[in-house]
Amino acid sequence: MDINFAFLVVSILKIVGIIAWIYGVVRALGHPSRWVKLAGIVLGFGIVQIALSVPIGGSPALSDFDSGLLFQGCAIAMVVMGLNLIYGFNGQFSLGQWAFYGIGAYTAADITYRWTNGDAKGLVVVGLGVTLEALMIFGIQRFLRRYQGVPVLSAFTLYIVGSIAVGAFATVVGRWISPLLSPLLGTDTAPGVLAHGFPLQVVYMLAVLLAGALAAEVSFLFGLPVLTLGSDYFGIATLGFTIVVNTLMINSDTILPFPEMKGGRGMIGIPKLTTWFWAFSFLIAIVVVMRNIIHSSTGRAIMSVREDETASKVMGIEVANYKLLSFVIGSFFAGIGGGVYAHFIGFLSPGTFDFLVSFNPLIIVVFGGLGSMTGSLAASFGWIFFLEGLLRVLLGQLGTEAPTWRFVLYPIALLLLMLLRPKGLLGTVEWGFLKTPQVLLRKREPVPVKTDSRSAKSEEKIGADQPG
Amino acid sequence: MEVSPSARQGAPRARRSGKRLAWIGQGLLLLIAVAAVVLLAHDFMQNPSLFVQIIISGLQLGFVYALIALGYTMVYGIVKLINFAHGDVFMVGSFVSFYAVTRFQLHVWPAAVFPGLPQMWVVVVGSASVVLLSMVVCAIMAVVIERAAYKPLRDAPRIAALITAIGVSFFLEFFGALSFVFSPRFIPYQRPFDVVTWYFNRGFHLVRPGQTVPDNSVTFSNIFLLIIGASILVQILLQFLVRHTRMGKAMRAASFDKPTARLMGINVDQVISFTFAVGAAFAGLGGVLYAIAYSSIWTQLGILPGLKAFVAAVLGGIGSIPGAFVGALIMGQAEALTMGYISTPMRDAVAFAILILVLLVRPTGIFGEPEKEKA
């Protein structure tokens, strides 16, 4: 029973390093100068890229195992950011984030898998379907705006009927269009011009974005009726959704018509297209989008829904719409995370998206601090590096029961954290770029009220008395 | 419960009432109901005895779920906590009975102590003592969990308690999976009594060993009768406990308003511990019955039955004891019918689809009282 202490120290240094890296990137992004921002992003990307690819003394600084953890951390961070928007900022207790992660992973994997095997149908059908679905949703929204107080179930029925029509149409048209692309794609053994290199990268990007969009649209259809439930009921319904989606994944080759997903045996042969460039770009894009949403008027409306629904309604905030908006955006992030994950790991198994694992994003969000974007980022990477990296290897040296011991120690850590710091490690602390911008914190000049001159004068007097 | 129009709309336009569109949603519900009835009727006409057989297996499952659901609904009613560890208490109950039977031969102690006792009494008293042991162990464990993990968090945000519950659940599952505890394997369960099966085909008949059951007959075993009897007995006991005893009155008071109950001299902490203990005891009973019925146990046995029992409690209206009972029966039937007529892996999906559907129509469950508007 000898523990490798060098490994322990190196692992802890890696965790500290990755947190410092996040801090650096976020601080650089928060700098007012555009050039510093750019330099920060390039430097943040470059350091890791060098550590991943340039061999120092025989092997790169980050081994395959470490890079695996890094990519997994990126994917989890996207999922967790989405959940933080839904639960941390909007207060909707969702256990369904993992299902949208799975939907994204399987969708993106299916598109590129088919593409590299000389079949454009995945891309065409999903692309057409997602676009038409979005148009359909906006169209029905426009239509429903003519009525006041439409029952949720009726709206839901309209959307569902529309979705079925769109899905059928996209499938039929896809079957008709996709053979036209087949000659350019070639076959598995003799790939055509579109099947590798730059076009493949474009298809990968489209696949990930479409996966996110599909997850967002599914979350719209699911969230529309279910978000009207109370918080605990919503949680149980989303947990049920995770189980339903997982069951469908297990039966994807028997109940659903996707033989290439191979049901419970797991989908193999997904092209490993996720490079550090893509993982980093998607992560930074999500961080920027999330930060800009949170610090806009939309974000303030989302947070007001968390604080008090009735008061928000009184202030003229459309509670149902903002709940749905944050749920859809959060699921979009989860779908993108899934796409990134699928193309990094190259193998998808329904066991990865089991509902037992679906508690993980929730636990990470609470670890990092509800309503703290920095906390979500740091906690995702820290959690992956600690639990999957350090504990797994360290316990692996102790005996064959390591995976079990890992899950014996981890709940104990969870209990201690909940007892000692129930608000998470970072609470609501934000770093650099993610802080509330100074513009929003500046004290506003009081808006002049049109009154007769005498009372205006007295108001000025009162204002002048106040310090600052 | 309305889809509100966008606020960004410009000039105010006369908008028609959305009530005119209500028929669309009602039409969807009607369509689903008609489809379900038609499908069930079709299945029944095809093979009535198979249909009844499936209903019986659904009843068996549903009554076990009812035992677990009671604990969920009682605990949620008082502390508003989804006690995810409850399913694992259920698992521990089945393991306790397994060790009592296999290793310590507890089920034959009456024969060892009173050698002249008739066989039937030995089986009844022995099995009852196994069940009682499981119930007591589960109750003690639940009280320990409550005191150690949940009580310090009673004033913390609700998510903290919920995550603690998830943590306790993981801990029990994976601690149990260690080789020196329960081991991670599936373990064949040795029943404390023999299975006796009857079949119904123009009258009840006993199935003798080696005898084939004639076609178009419905079989059921003494396990089925035992589960139904125990479950109904527990329901009656619990109704009596809640309605007619001082403790029951205290429980109702604590679930209604804890600070006021405390002012009235009720020891709320004690009441909460008692609630956990009672719920866990029934879960332990359910665990023993589940293990007897399905005769294979492992450490993650409790997850899905626990979750479905919770869903049953939500379906029936959480906090309501008859609601938990009715919800559990619905869940059992849904699962058995799906297994019989659609496909086995889809049973979880259909069970949760029914939950979502019921919550859409009645957001607080079948027997639930409408929630008070938050002031």
Side-chain angles (χ1 to χ4, degrees), chain A residues 80-96:
Chain A
V80 168
M81 291 290 266
L83 186 62
N84 204 352
L85 182 63
I86 298 171
Y87 184 50
F89 289 102
N90 197 27
Q92 301 306 307
F93 174 55
S94 168
L95 292 169

Side-chain angles (χ1 to χ4, degrees), chain A residues 87 93 95 143-158 222 224-226 228-229 231-233 236-237 239-241 243-244 247-248 251 255 308-310 318 320-321 355-356 359-360 362-363 366 370 401 404-405 407-408 410-412 414-415 418-419 422, chain B residues 1-7 15-19 21-22 24-25 28-29 76 80 82 84 149 152-153 156 158-160 162-164 166-168 170-171 173-175 177-180 300 303-304 307 310-311 314 318 343 345-346 348-349 352 355-356 359-360 363-364 371 374:
Chain A
Y87 184 50
F93 174 55
L95 292 169
F143 168 71
L144 288 180
R145 226 171 263 166
R146 293 186 204 164
Y147 295 88
Q148 199 159 25
V150 180
V152 168
L153 215 53
S154 299
F156 177 67
T157 313
L158 283 180
F222 175 71
L224 181 76
V226 172
T228 56
L229 305 173
S231 65
D232 277 350
Y233 295 97
I236 289 301
L239 179 65
F241 181 72
I243 293 179
V244 171
T247 313
L248 289 178
N251 298 297
I255 292 172
D308 193 331
E309 285 189 21
T310 316
E318 316 237 351
N321 284 4
F355 77 94
L356 268 183
F359 293 117
N360 286 358
L362 182 73
I363 290 168
V366 176
L370 282 171
E401 289 203 310
T404 317
W405 268 111
F407 285 106
V408 174
Y410 151 66
I412 294 176
L414 202 64
L415 294 188
M418 283 299 114
L419 290 175
Chain B
M1 287 257 280
E2 289 167 357
V3 177
S4 324
S6 167
R15 284 187 303 186
R16 278 163 284 181
S17 163
K19 296 281 179 292
L21 296 180
I24 301 176
L28 177 77
L29 288 181
Y76 191 92
K80 299 280 178 290
I82 304 177
F84 276 104
L153 290 170
R158 277 177 62 202
I159 183 68
L162 189 75
I163 289 200
T164 309
I166 296 171
V168 171
F170 276 175
F171 178 77
E173 279 153 25
F174 289 97
F175 187 69
L178 291 172
S179 58
F180 62 87
Q300 299 199 355
I303 301 174
L304 270 178
L307 211 56
F310 179 70
V311 167
V314 174
I318 199 143
S343 82
M346 284 304 282
D348 305 338
F352 279 98
L355 169 79
I356 293 171
L359 284 187
L360 288 182
T364 49
E371 264 181 57
K374 196 161 66 173

Side-chain angles (χ1 to χ4, degrees), chain B residues 190-247:
Chain B
Q190 183 197 344
R191 297 190 177 99
F193 54 85
D194 296 323
V195 183
V196 184
T197 316
W198 291 273
Y199 67 90
F200 178 80
N201 193 357
R202 299 195 195 87
F204 293 98
H205 310 273
L206 190 69
V207 181
R208 291 183 178 76
Q211 184 194 2
T212 50
V213 179
D215 286 346
N216 294 326
S217 51
V218 178
T219 62
F220 59 94
S221 66
N222 54 350
I223 296 172
F224 172 68
L225 298 179
L226 177 68
I227 287 177
I228 290 191
S231 194
I232 290 178
L233 192 69
V234 162
Q235 290 290 333
I236 294 169
L237 265 179
L238 198 60
Q239 281 293 343
F240 177 77
L241 178 77
V242 173
R243 302 256 165 248
H244 299 288
T245 60
R246 278 177 70 85
M247 202 47 162

Side-chain angles (χ1 to χ4, degrees), chain A residues 166-187:
Chain A
V166 163
F169 178 75
T171 316
V172 170
V173 172
R175 191 173 294 158
W176 180 61
I177 289 181
S178 51
L180 302 177
L181 282 166
S182 300
L184 289 171
L185 275 173
T187 59

